[in-house]
Amino acid sequence: MALKKNRAFLKWAGGKYSLIEAITAKLPYANKLIEPFVGAGSVFLNTQYPKYLLNDINPDLINLYKIIQKRADHYIADSASLFVASNNCETRYYALREKFNLSTDRYERAVIFLYLNRFGYNGLCRYNQKGIFNVPFGRYKAPYFPLKEILFFAEKSQQAVFTCLPFEHIFSRSRLGSVIYCDPPYAPISQTAKFNSYASGGFSLSSQNVLAKLAEKSGYERNIPVLISNHDTPFTREIYQQARLTELQVSRFISQSGGTRNKVGELLALYQAD
């Protein structure tokens, strides 16, 4: 009997829920799983490591996770209060989005962040170069409040430490006995298919190269295995040529219409000493 999979409480472009089995099959056992790009946390939620170090460069995301880790009941009550029919319209959505962008209160931003995630277009998390959240209204009939998913995350997060640092810093913090799983913003399939603004600043091809070199050093010199997910392109095959590659075909889309989902090639690149 297959184990029940746990969904993340956030909608997330490029989330790994559908790939959990393929990813976990390649992840070695260790005392700690380190994720430099945790995103919505599907791998964290569906693995059984004793400890976790979960990082993301998006401060709103990590702030939200820390609040749920410490104050889940309080957070649930306040965030659920926004999930009412009167807030499911363009006027209210854009007013709350503006309130979020103007706010410097971390708790208030965390409460509104979940609303924006569920009421905004396709669960996108996107900022402009000034750090302004700019995802448009989603036009959903009745956005779902993820109560059971938040409660599960809150319970499991007691095993985790959350950080908001550049991915390079997370590699330098890793120690023997850990394994690293990387789900970076994907390399573009083409020059017209770039989407990498989960946090302001983006993720360049140069950053992709740096990540591959750090993974190679970690896996083969430091004996800390690294598994990376990315698009299957000539570029990624070149930068991951020192890894053991697994090819996948995945439904990938940023669209509200399921009919427009296309299968695209993805790679799992494993750096692990024999």
Side-chain angles (χ1 to χ4, degrees), residues 158-231:
Q158 302 310 307
Q159 301 168 251
V161 171
F162 295 101
T163 59
C164 183
L165 296 166
F167 70 89
E168 299 94 333
H169 293 210
I170 301 305
F171 273 84
S172 68
R173 289 186 172 199
S174 64
R175 296 291 181 266
L176 203 63
S178 300
V179 60
I180 302 174
Y181 170 65
C182 295
D183 182 26
Y186 275 17
I189 296 176
S190 67
Q191 287 302 304
T192 58
K194 294 182 180 179
F195 175 73
N196 58 14
S197 298
Y198 298 104
S200 56
F203 199 79
S204 66
L205 296 184
S206 175
S207 296
Q208 300 279 1
N209 266 304
V210 170
L211 175 60
K213 291 184 183 302
L214 286 172
E216 183 179 346
K217 180 177 181 180
S218 178
Y220 299 138
E221 296 180 23
R222 303 180 65 208
N223 203 27
I224 301 170
V226 181
L227 183 68
I228 305 177
S229 300
N230 214 322
H231 279 142

Side-chain angles (χ1 to χ4, degrees), residues 11-230:
K11 298 167 70 175
W12 207 253
K16 290 297 174 286
Y17 182 81
S18 65
L19 290 179
I20 289 300
E21 294 86 355
I23 291 168
T24 55
K26 296 295 179 183
L27 275 174
Y29 181 76
N31 294 322
K32 180 188 290 185
L33 176 65
I34 299 173
E35 293 197 56
F37 311 88
V38 67
S42 287
V43 173
F44 157 61
L45 294 168
N46 289 283
T47 50
Q48 299 299 324
Y49 290 90
K51 297 179 182 179
Y52 295 86
L53 173 57
L54 305 176
N55 180 79
D56 202 277
I57 199 65
N58 184 333
D60 287 315
L61 186 67
I62 295 303
N63 173 56
L64 169 61
Y65 289 165
K66 287 181 175 180
I67 286 172
I68 289 175
Q69 184 184 45
K70 296 173 184 175
R71 309 165 62 183
D73 291 345
H74 188 189
Y75 178 82
I76 286 168
D78 289 335
S79 57
S81 70
L82 294 179
F83 281 66
V84 293
S86 58
N87 282 336
N88 192 21
C89 67
E90 284 191 66
T91 303
R92 286 295 296 149
Y93 177 84
Y94 289 117
L96 283 163
R97 192 182 76 174
E98 182 178 16
K99 186 176 183 180
F100 173 84
N101 281 322
L102 293 174
S103 178
T104 57
D105 182 281
R106 291 184 177 184
Y107 186 78
E108 181 177 61
R109 286 180 71 91
V111 168
I112 301 174
F113 188 87
L114 180 59
Y115 165 84
L116 295 173
N117 177 262
R118 287 280 169 177
F119 286 72
Y121 181 77
N122 208 44
L124 289 177
C125 181
R126 188 184 66 197
Y127 303 78
N128 67 18
Q129 290 187 337
K130 294 181 179 179
I132 301 299
F133 188 91
N134 62 4
V135 175
F137 181 56
R139 303 182 186 281
Y140 297 106
K141 185 175 181 180
Y144 167 69
F145 182 73
L147 174 60
K148 66 179 182 179
E149 292 85 353
I150 295 174
L151 288 171
F152 183 81
F153 186 99
E155 180 181 0
K156 192 168 178 64
S157 71
Q158 302 310 307
Q159 301 168 251
V161 171
F162 295 101
T163 59
C164 183
L165 296 166
F167 70 89
E168 299 94 333
H169 293 210
I170 301 305
F171 273 84
S172 68
R173 289 186 172 199
S174 64
R175 296 291 181 266
L176 203 63
S178 300
V179 60
I180 302 174
Y181 170 65
C182 295
D183 182 26
Y186 275 17
I189 296 176
S190 67
Q191 287 302 304
T192 58
K194 294 182 180 179
F195 175 73
N196 58 14
S197 298
Y198 298 104
S200 56
F203 199 79
S204 66
L205 296 184
S206 175
S207 296
Q208 300 279 1
N209 266 304
V210 170
L211 175 60
K213 291 184 183 302
L214 286 172
E216 183 179 346
K217 180 177 181 180
S218 178
Y220 299 138
E221 296 180 23
R222 303 180 65 208
N223 203 27
I224 301 170
V226 181
L227 183 68
I228 305 177
S229 300
N230 214 322

